[in-house]
């Protein structure tokens, strides 16, 4: 049996098909990567917001010492991981609200610690103009990118 080599035309057709497949596959891979990062962002936001809410509940129940005029929200995000003394415990054991603080997946890892990757909103700031302040009432992404759902990531 005689082996047959590729002709120039067959080779060009094969390369054209591969180029077409690559132009379709690259955007699909980019969308899949964006979707995975958005899922991670959504999960991180839920985790941090639930920890902030648990901190506030503990504060409302008298388990966290409040300063005069304090809102009951943590002064900094790191308190959720570092813990705060339980005022109802005889030995003042620390209460912890997170094992670790997740970082914003849309921020470069070189940009400081996980707490610095988030935009923070203070309790006293108005909802239409969130800003940092004396405490941490809410967090948001610092990214200016728009999500696959058409909503800017910093508004999630």
């Amino acid at each position: 049996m005689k082996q047959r080599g590729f002709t120039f035309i067959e080779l060009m057709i094969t390369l054209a098909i591969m180029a077409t497949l690559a132009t379709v596959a690259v955007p699909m891979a980019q969308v899949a990567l964006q979707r995975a990062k958005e899922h991670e962002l959504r999960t991180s936001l839920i985790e941090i917001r639930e920890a902030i809410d648990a901190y506030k509940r503990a504060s409302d129940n008298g388990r966290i010492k409040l300063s005069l005029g304090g809102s009951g929200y943590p002064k900094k995000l790191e308190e959720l991981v570092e813990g705060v003394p339980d005022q109802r415990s005889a030995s003042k054991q620390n209460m912890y609200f997170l094992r670790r603080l997740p970082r914003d997946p849309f921020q470069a890892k070189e940009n400081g610690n996980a707490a610095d990757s988030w935009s923070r909103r203070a309790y006293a700031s108005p909802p239409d103009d969130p800003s940092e302040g004396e405490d941490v009432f809410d967090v948001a992404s610092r990214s200016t990118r728009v999500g696959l759902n058409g909503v800017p990531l910093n508004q999630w």
Side-chain angles (χ1 to χ4, degrees):
M1 197 171 212
K2 189 176 178 183
Q3 231 179 357
R4 182 175 168 253
F6 285 109
T7 66
F8 180 73
I9 293 175
E10 290 172 331
L11 185 59
M12 293 308 291
I13 290 172
T14 303
L15 288 174
I17 290 171
M18 289 177 66
T20 303
L21 289 174
T23 59
V24 170
V26 169
M28 288 177 61
Q30 289 172 336
V31 168
L33 180 63
Q34 173 85 7
R35 185 174 291 123
K37 284 179 117 179
E38 287 184 12
H39 177 74
E40 186 179 347
L41 173 63
R42 196 172 294 114
T43 302
S44 296
L45 286 170
I46 290 170
E47 186 178 351
I48 294 170
R49 288 172 175 162
E50 285 178 350
I52 291 170
D53 290 344
Y55 186 102
K56 174 66 170 147
R57 276 191 304 276
S59 176
D60 289 346
N61 291 332
R63 297 183 71 186
I64 297 175
K65 186 176 182 177
L66 280 179
S67 59
L68 189 60
S71 65
Y73 289 98
K75 299 286 183 207
K76 56 184 184 166
L77 282 174
E78 292 88 351
E79 285 184 21
L80 300 173
V81 177
E82 294 167 359
V84 291
D86 184 350
Q87 298 302 308
R88 290 194 177 168
S89 168
S91 62
K92 303 289 187 225
Q93 279 186 309
N94 270 2
M95 293 186 305
Y96 302 96
F97 301 93
L98 286 174
R99 289 179 186 242
R100 66 168 186 80
L101 187 63
R103 68 179 304 111
D104 183 346
F106 288 94
Q107 295 299 310
K109 291 190 182 345
E110 301 84 42
N111 295 350
N113 62 24
D116 293 337
S117 69
W118 298 101
S119 172
R120 294 174 285 282
R121 175 180 167 212
Y123 179 71
S125 71
D128 56 342
D129 185 25
S131 60
E132 293 186 25
E134 297 290 320
D135 55 19
V136 181
F137 172 71
D138 194 15
V139 293
S141 176
R142 290 188 185 272
S143 177
T144 57
R145 294 175 69 173
V146 175
L148 294 173
N149 60 1
V151 178
L153 297 176
N154 56 12
Q155 294 180 11
W156 284 22

